């Protein structure tokens, strides 16, 4: 992992250190998958406060950390806000089609779940 150079710099793995196992682990949790789906749908950097998650703030922080440390997202500070962006280009270069396939499967699952309710 890269080393943080200041207290406001966050550690992210460089592209060549992103591992498939870590990405799949990060995407295997329903809350983290929901975060990634929301980010993909919005297509822009989003603050942590954008997400209305059914977990505590500390658990939300944990989920964002797992996504960042696995290489799925990039987090950066802009003023006092921490913004989040998908690392889609990196993931597509390393694992072509993986993110699109996972997101399509998650959308299909959500549609089945909503249809059954």
């Amino acid at each position: 992992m890269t080393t943080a150079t200041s207290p406001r710099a966050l550690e992210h793995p460089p592209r060549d250190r992103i591992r498939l196992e870590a990405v799949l682990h990060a995407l295997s949790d329903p809350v983290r998958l929901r975060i990634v789906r929301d980010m993909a749908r919005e297509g822009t950097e989003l603050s942590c406060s954008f997400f209305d998650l059914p977990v505590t703030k500390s658990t939300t922080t944990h989920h964002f950390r797992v996504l960042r440390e696995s290489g799925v997202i990039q987090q950066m500070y802009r003023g006092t806000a921490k913004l989040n962006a998908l690392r889609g280009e990196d993931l597509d270069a390393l694992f072509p089609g993986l993110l699109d396939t996972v997101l399509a499967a998650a959308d299909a699952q959500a549609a089945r779940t909503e249809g059954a309710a």
Side-chain angles (χ1 to χ4, degrees):
M1 283 196 198
T2 58
T3 303
T5 57
S6 76
R8 295 194 44 93
L10 299 164
E11 293 184 19
H12 299 84
R15 180 189 280 192
D16 65 343
R17 295 268 175 102
I18 296 173
R19 304 279 307 160
L20 178 60
E21 302 86 15
V23 171
L24 292 174
H25 168 75
L27 296 174
S28 70
D29 181 88
V31 172
R32 292 191 292 266
L33 185 56
R34 178 175 166 179
I35 291 167
V36 171
R37 287 180 68 212
D38 287 350
M39 293 175 75
R41 183 187 67 246
E42 295 298 321
T44 188
E45 297 171 347
L46 300 169
S47 69
C48 294
S49 63
F50 172 86
F51 302 91
D52 182 27
L53 302 173
V55 295
T56 64
K57 185 175 180 180
S58 63
T59 302
T60 297
T61 299
H62 165 75
H63 286 305
F64 277 101
R65 182 176 48 84
V66 170
L67 289 167
R68 177 175 43 83
E69 290 179 351
S70 68
V72 174
I73 68 169
Q74 180 175 11
Q75 292 183 304
M76 68 290 291
Y77 283 101
R78 295 258 170 78
T80 58
K82 186 188 290 184
L83 298 180
N84 304 281
L86 276 179
R87 291 181 67 178
E89 188 175 304
D90 289 336
L91 293 174
D92 285 340
L94 294 167
F95 317 113
L98 175 67
L99 188 58
D100 290 338
T101 300
V102 168
L103 292 172
D107 288 345
Q109 177 175 281
R112 282 194 318 274
T113 303
E114 291 168 5

